[in-house]
Amino acid sequence: MGISYETHMIVRPIQNHETKTWLLNKHYAKRMPSISYAFGLYENEWLVGVCTFGYPPNYNYNEGKCVFDNYKCLTLELNRLVVNDGLPKNSLSQFVSKSLKFLPKPSCVVSYADPNNGHHGYIYQATNWLYTGVSTPKHKYILEDGTEFDIRRGLDTKAKVVDKIKIESTHRYLFFNGSKSIVRKMKKHLKFDVHKYPKGKNTNYDSSGYVETQSAFNF
């Protein structure tokens, strides 16, 4: 049974393989992350968006070590979010909010907004996440064949690195998923300071790639 926030809009868990064409063709990152939980946004029983969560690749996030002082908690990363254009107003923020309700509790969810791709985290701001500043400095690397890559994509080539350029750090957001008393405890043990939300011109998470719309019955 899914969670509905409009008569024709439903959020429900989906299988990992159902996210593949969306994430490889439509999300700007164009690569598959590690997925532990996946959710679909359905409009009139047709899949119109996906949201995925996985364990953060940084081992320091295990049990919240990178987030909390003297407090252990399941920590997940919201690592992909993409929907079709032209959906009703607030569909994206409602999709995130409803997806979070399916996750285990208590849990801490981390996500990053990359200003290098025109993202400042307005979806997380709209759904009351905590903004905890920027991540560690990042660089992109220029190869001798003229292509670029960053460390998250890995180096799948023998081409020589000829330049290293510092890029903007990503914005880090946290969401505490649990009862009011648990959330208060999480905030008490939080390692990071909480800052005012960043602002800037945003671009779409949708890379405009084609995805054949899927019926809820096409499993």
Side-chain angles (χ1 to χ4, degrees), residues 33-62:
S34 172
I35 300 174
S36 301
Y37 302 92
F39 305 100
L41 176 65
Y42 289 87
E43 182 178 30
N44 297 324
E45 294 298 332
W46 293 91
L47 183 62
V48 295
V50 299
C51 180
T52 65
F53 300 80
Y55 294 103
N58 187 338
Y59 73 92
N60 286 323
Y61 275 101
N62 182 36

Tab-separated table of all heavy atoms in Angstrom, residues 33-62:
chain	number	residue	atom	x	y	z
A	33	PRO	N	24.117	4.433	-8.097
A	33	PRO	CA	24.696	4.443	-6.759
A	33	PRO	C	24.419	3.111	-6.073
A	33	PRO	O	23.777	2.225	-6.644
A	33	PRO	CB	23.919	5.565	-6.066
A	33	PRO	CG	22.535	5.410	-6.652
A	33	PRO	CD	22.757	4.983	-8.098
A	34	SER	N	24.878	2.967	-4.848
A	34	SER	CA	24.505	1.829	-4.018
A	34	SER	C	23.105	2.088	-3.470
A	34	SER	O	22.872	3.129	-2.848
A	34	SER	CB	25.506	1.676	-2.866
A	34	SER	OG	25.072	0.694	-1.945
A	35	ILE	N	22.185	1.167	-3.736
A	35	ILE	CA	20.784	1.396	-3.354
A	35	ILE	C	20.337	0.369	-2.319
A	35	ILE	O	20.425	-0.834	-2.549
A	35	ILE	CB	19.857	1.315	-4.583
A	35	ILE	CG1	20.252	2.382	-5.609
A	35	ILE	CG2	18.388	1.491	-4.169
A	35	ILE	CD1	19.475	2.287	-6.907
A	36	SER	N	19.870	0.859	-1.176
A	36	SER	CA	19.297	-0.004	-0.148
A	36	SER	C	17.776	0.116	-0.102
A	36	SER	O	17.080	-0.839	0.237
A	36	SER	CB	19.881	0.353	1.224
A	36	SER	OG	21.282	0.214	1.233
A	37	TYR	N	17.263	1.293	-0.436
A	37	TYR	CA	15.817	1.542	-0.444
A	37	TYR	C	15.501	2.401	-1.665
A	37	TYR	O	16.191	3.385	-1.934
A	37	TYR	CB	15.371	2.284	0.821
A	37	TYR	CG	15.707	1.570	2.104
A	37	TYR	CD1	16.906	1.837	2.770
A	37	TYR	CD2	14.845	0.625	2.648
A	37	TYR	CE1	17.229	1.187	3.946
A	37	TYR	CE2	15.156	-0.039	3.830
A	37	TYR	CZ	16.357	0.251	4.467
A	37	TYR	OH	16.673	-0.405	5.641
A	38	ALA	N	14.469	2.018	-2.401
A	38	ALA	CA	14.070	2.767	-3.588
A	38	ALA	C	12.561	2.993	-3.567
A	38	ALA	O	11.791	2.108	-3.176
A	38	ALA	CB	14.461	2.011	-4.861
A	39	PHE	N	12.155	4.177	-3.992
A	39	PHE	CA	10.742	4.534	-3.973
A	39	PHE	C	10.357	5.179	-5.295
A	39	PHE	O	11.162	5.869	-5.936
A	39	PHE	CB	10.449	5.487	-2.814
A	39	PHE	CG	10.884	4.935	-1.487
A	39	PHE	CD1	12.076	5.335	-0.915
A	39	PHE	CD2	10.130	3.961	-0.847
A	39	PHE	CE1	12.506	4.797	0.289
A	39	PHE	CE2	10.549	3.416	0.354
A	39	PHE	CZ	11.737	3.834	0.924
A	40	GLY	N	9.124	4.917	-5.704
A	40	GLY	CA	8.617	5.470	-6.941
A	40	GLY	C	7.485	6.442	-6.686
A	40	GLY	O	6.687	6.263	-5.760
A	41	LEU	N	7.428	7.479	-7.500
A	41	LEU	CA	6.315	8.417	-7.496
A	41	LEU	C	5.416	8.058	-8.669
A	41	LEU	O	5.879	8.007	-9.816
A	41	LEU	CB	6.827	9.847	-7.631
A	41	LEU	CG	5.757	10.942	-7.735
A	41	LEU	CD1	4.936	11.031	-6.458
A	41	LEU	CD2	6.411	12.301	-8.042
A	42	TYR	N	4.171	7.788	-8.375
A	42	TYR	CA	3.220	7.369	-9.415
A	42	TYR	C	2.134	8.420	-9.590
A	42	TYR	O	1.569	8.939	-8.623
A	42	TYR	CB	2.561	6.041	-9.031
A	42	TYR	CG	3.500	4.856	-9.121
A	42	TYR	CD1	4.315	4.512	-8.043
A	42	TYR	CD2	3.578	4.094	-10.280
A	42	TYR	CE1	5.179	3.430	-8.123
A	42	TYR	CE2	4.441	3.015	-10.372
A	42	TYR	CZ	5.237	2.694	-9.295
A	42	TYR	OH	6.094	1.618	-9.387
A	43	GLU	N	1.848	8.711	-10.839
A	43	GLU	CA	0.743	9.588	-11.195
A	43	GLU	C	-0.245	8.773	-12.013
A	43	GLU	O	0.078	8.303	-13.107
A	43	GLU	CB	1.241	10.784	-12.004
A	43	GLU	CG	0.131	11.766	-12.355
A	43	GLU	CD	0.661	12.962	-13.127
A	43	GLU	OE1	1.666	12.796	-13.851
A	43	GLU	OE2	0.061	14.039	-13.010
A	44	ASN	N	-1.425	8.582	-11.458
A	44	ASN	CA	-2.441	7.752	-12.113
A	44	ASN	C	-1.874	6.391	-12.518
A	44	ASN	O	-2.075	5.907	-13.631
A	44	ASN	CB	-3.012	8.473	-13.339
A	44	ASN	CG	-3.730	9.749	-12.958
A	44	ASN	OD1	-4.377	9.814	-11.910
A	44	ASN	ND2	-3.608	10.769	-13.773
A	45	GLU	N	-1.126	5.782	-11.580
A	45	GLU	CA	-0.552	4.436	-11.720
A	45	GLU	C	0.602	4.350	-12.713
A	45	GLU	O	0.989	3.261	-13.130
A	45	GLU	CB	-1.642	3.409	-12.098
A	45	GLU	CG	-2.686	3.206	-11.010
A	45	GLU	CD	-2.088	2.653	-9.719
A	45	GLU	OE1	-1.069	1.948	-9.779
A	45	GLU	OE2	-2.654	2.944	-8.651
A	46	TRP	N	1.165	5.492	-13.103
A	46	TRP	CA	2.338	5.489	-13.962
A	46	TRP	C	3.526	6.050	-13.204
A	46	TRP	O	3.423	7.087	-12.544
A	46	TRP	CB	2.092	6.311	-15.234
A	46	TRP	CG	1.054	5.682	-16.124
A	46	TRP	CD1	-0.293	5.911	-16.109
A	46	TRP	CD2	1.280	4.690	-17.125
A	46	TRP	NE1	-0.929	5.128	-17.051
A	46	TRP	CE2	0.009	4.371	-17.693
A	46	TRP	CE3	2.409	4.043	-17.615
A	46	TRP	CZ2	-0.143	3.437	-18.713
A	46	TRP	CZ3	2.266	3.116	-18.639
A	46	TRP	CH2	1.004	2.825	-19.171
A	47	LEU	N	4.676	5.373	-13.295
A	47	LEU	CA	5.882	5.800	-12.593
A	47	LEU	C	6.420	7.077	-13.235
A	47	LEU	O	6.774	7.089	-14.415
A	47	LEU	CB	6.937	4.693	-12.645
A	47	LEU	CG	8.256	4.949	-11.895
A	47	LEU	CD1	8.003	5.124	-10.405
A	47	LEU	CD2	9.235	3.801	-12.137
A	48	VAL	N	6.498	8.152	-12.444
A	48	VAL	CA	6.935	9.441	-12.979
A	48	VAL	C	8.149	9.994	-12.224
A	48	VAL	O	8.573	11.128	-12.464
A	48	VAL	CB	5.786	10.471	-12.952
A	48	VAL	CG1	4.662	10.048	-13.891
A	48	VAL	CG2	5.257	10.678	-11.531
A	49	GLY	N	8.726	9.211	-11.308
A	49	GLY	CA	9.914	9.668	-10.604
A	49	GLY	C	10.452	8.599	-9.685
A	49	GLY	O	9.727	7.674	-9.296
A	50	VAL	N	11.742	8.696	-9.334
A	50	VAL	CA	12.354	7.748	-8.400
A	50	VAL	C	13.199	8.498	-7.378
A	50	VAL	O	13.763	9.564	-7.661
A	50	VAL	CB	13.227	6.697	-9.128
A	50	VAL	CG1	12.405	5.868	-10.094
A	50	VAL	CG2	14.399	7.348	-9.850
A	51	CYS	N	13.280	7.918	-6.185
A	51	CYS	CA	14.089	8.450	-5.098
A	51	CYS	C	14.783	7.260	-4.442
A	51	CYS	O	14.110	6.265	-4.105
A	51	CYS	CB	13.212	9.185	-4.086
A	51	CYS	SG	14.097	9.900	-2.681
A	52	THR	N	16.111	7.321	-4.285
A	52	THR	CA	16.840	6.176	-3.745
A	52	THR	C	17.718	6.573	-2.554
A	52	THR	O	18.211	7.705	-2.468
A	52	THR	CB	17.735	5.520	-4.817
A	52	THR	OG1	18.771	6.435	-5.220
A	52	THR	CG2	16.919	5.115	-6.035
A	53	PHE	N	17.906	5.600	-1.667
A	53	PHE	CA	18.725	5.772	-0.477
A	53	PHE	C	19.702	4.597	-0.379
A	53	PHE	O	19.358	3.465	-0.735
A	53	PHE	CB	17.861	5.778	0.785
A	53	PHE	CG	16.834	6.873	0.835
A	53	PHE	CD1	15.627	6.755	0.148
A	53	PHE	CD2	17.059	8.020	1.585
A	53	PHE	CE1	14.669	7.759	0.198
A	53	PHE	CE2	16.103	9.032	1.639
A	53	PHE	CZ	14.911	8.897	0.947
A	54	GLY	N	20.895	4.872	0.112
A	54	GLY	CA	21.877	3.806	0.303
A	54	GLY	C	22.788	4.144	1.458
A	54	GLY	O	22.694	5.231	2.060
A	55	TYR	N	23.684	3.223	1.786
A	55	TYR	CA	24.648	3.491	2.842
A	55	TYR	C	25.734	4.412	2.288
A	55	TYR	O	26.256	4.177	1.196
A	55	TYR	CB	25.248	2.184	3.362
A	55	TYR	CG	24.222	1.329	4.065
A	55	TYR	CD1	23.668	0.215	3.446
A	55	TYR	CD2	23.781	1.667	5.342
A	55	TYR	CE1	22.697	-0.557	4.081
A	55	TYR	CE2	22.816	0.904	5.987
A	55	TYR	CZ	22.281	-0.200	5.355
A	55	TYR	OH	21.316	-0.950	5.990
A	56	PRO	N	26.089	5.463	3.016
A	56	PRO	CA	27.112	6.403	2.521
A	56	PRO	C	28.421	5.690	2.225
A	56	PRO	O	28.834	4.807	2.989
A	56	PRO	CB	27.264	7.399	3.688
A	56	PRO	CG	25.984	7.297	4.447
A	56	PRO	CD	25.553	5.864	4.323
A	57	PRO	N	29.106	6.049	1.149
A	57	PRO	CA	30.359	5.386	0.800
A	57	PRO	C	31.482	5.654	1.795
A	57	PRO	O	32.406	4.865	1.923
A	57	PRO	CB	30.698	5.972	-0.582
A	57	PRO	CG	29.927	7.245	-0.654
A	57	PRO	CD	28.685	7.028	0.143
A	58	ASN	N	31.396	6.766	2.519
A	58	ASN	CA	32.402	7.092	3.522
A	58	ASN	C	32.172	6.240	4.764
A	58	ASN	O	31.143	6.357	5.430
A	58	ASN	CB	32.317	8.583	3.870
A	58	ASN	CG	33.435	9.041	4.792
A	58	ASN	OD1	34.036	8.233	5.504
A	58	ASN	ND2	33.691	10.331	4.797
A	59	TYR	N	33.126	5.375	5.108
A	59	TYR	CA	32.944	4.465	6.243
A	59	TYR	C	32.775	5.216	7.559
A	59	TYR	O	32.254	4.676	8.538
A	59	TYR	CB	34.134	3.499	6.347
A	59	TYR	CG	35.409	4.115	6.857
A	59	TYR	CD1	35.714	4.098	8.218
A	59	TYR	CD2	36.314	4.713	5.988
A	59	TYR	CE1	36.884	4.671	8.685
A	59	TYR	CE2	37.479	5.286	6.454
A	59	TYR	CZ	37.762	5.271	7.806
A	59	TYR	OH	38.912	5.841	8.270
A	60	ASN	N	33.218	6.472	7.613
A	60	ASN	CA	33.079	7.250	8.842
A	60	ASN	C	31.624	7.542	9.184
A	60	ASN	O	31.317	7.976	10.292
A	60	ASN	CB	33.852	8.571	8.728
A	60	ASN	CG	35.348	8.360	8.839
A	60	ASN	OD1	35.796	7.510	9.604
A	60	ASN	ND2	36.118	9.116	8.074
A	61	TYR	N	30.721	7.320	8.193
A	61	TYR	CA	29.308	7.517	8.469
A	61	TYR	C	28.679	6.283	9.115
A	61	TYR	O	27.525	6.321	9.525
A	61	TYR	CB	28.555	7.855	7.182
A	61	TYR	CG	28.601	9.321	6.833
A	61	TYR	CD1	29.471	9.797	5.868
A	61	TYR	CD2	27.779	10.233	7.485
A	61	TYR	CE1	29.525	11.152	5.540
A	61	TYR	CE2	27.817	11.585	7.167
A	61	TYR	CZ	28.693	12.033	6.198
A	61	TYR	OH	28.734	13.365	5.893
A	62	ASN	N	29.404	5.182	9.209
A	62	ASN	CA	28.876	3.967	9.809
A	62	ASN	C	28.383	4.241	11.229
A	62	ASN	O	29.126	4.742	12.069
A	62	ASN	CB	29.958	2.880	9.830
A	62	ASN	CG	29.443	1.576	10.392
A	62	ASN	OD1	28.293	1.212	10.171
A	62	ASN	ND2	30.291	0.880	11.119
